[in-house]
Amino acid sequence: MSRWSAALLVLGVVGCTPYMSAGYDAHSSIKGPISNMVTQPAATARNEQATVAPIEDTHSYSFAVGGGGKRIGLEVGAHLHDVKGASFSLPSVSEMGVDPTSPRYLFATTSVDFRFRWILTRFFVSDMHIGPAGGFVLDRGTADYELGKGFRVGLTVGARLGILNAFADLYTTDMSFSEGPAKGISSLTGLTLGFSLR
């Protein structure tokens, strides 16, 4: 049985009420090898780092879909860390490379979170979530990439109005890469604010 088949089976076991959420990090912090990479401009891949300032004005975003009952659920999430519009710019045909002032690395994580809703009232909810996570680091300057694995845990509080939930999620993720410039263990923490339909 494949991993996706197993995930779909678990979704069927915990319930069939689907939900989705989206949010952005009002605060985030990265410690470890990745913390030195996310502010590097693409110029560092060309040994031009002395002429280009570190990347600023980046943001982190989270998206998730899941299903479950009133108290328990399972969700699959995708999280983009410290990105801006230039993070997704394609190489220029004339320059044969990315803008030297744009971010060099693209960093994203995925997670499979098991959720337990330990507080459920008419207008207030709180969830605890825990589960495995995966990481992806792409060097936009050389097209090299590394995959990592980790663990994510967090606590969510939210206000309810029918099926609409406004939430704040305090999370931490430990991510390990076995090779490449991100080799080692990095820790990500953040406060995600967003909305979910459930």
Side-chain angles (χ1 to χ4, degrees), residues 67 71-72 86 91 94 128 148 151 169:
R71 293 286 184 177
I72 61 172
S94 61
M128 294 180 287
F151 203 73
D169 179 44

Side-chain angles (χ1 to χ4, degrees), residues 84-100:
K84 58 191 306 183
S87 300
F88 306 99
S89 60
L90 297 175
S92 166
V93 175
S94 61
E95 298 178 7
M96 295 305 291
V98 297
D99 180 350

Side-chain angles (χ1 to χ4, degrees), residues 99-178:
D99 180 350
T101 63
S102 67
R104 174 176 176 178
Y105 292 98
L106 184 61
F107 175 44
T109 58
T110 60
S111 60
V112 178
D113 289 324
F114 295 90
R115 288 190 169 269
F116 172 66
R117 181 156 280 185
W118 66 295
I119 297 178
L120 174 60
T121 67
R122 183 176 178 184
F123 298 111
F124 179 77
V125 293
S126 182
D127 298 346
M128 294 180 287
H129 60 89
I130 188 170
F136 176 78
V137 174
L138 171 67
D139 185 334
R140 300 174 67 244
T142 63
D144 292 333
Y145 68 90
E146 300 295 337
L147 300 177
K149 55 186 176 180
F151 203 73
R152 187 171 188 263
V153 62
L155 176 68
T156 303
V157 294
R160 299 178 65 196
L161 183 58
I163 64 169
L164 180 65
N165 290 247
F167 69 86
D169 179 44
L170 182 63
Y171 71 89
T172 182
T173 303
D174 286 335
M175 186 62 53
S176 173
F177 290 86
S178 59

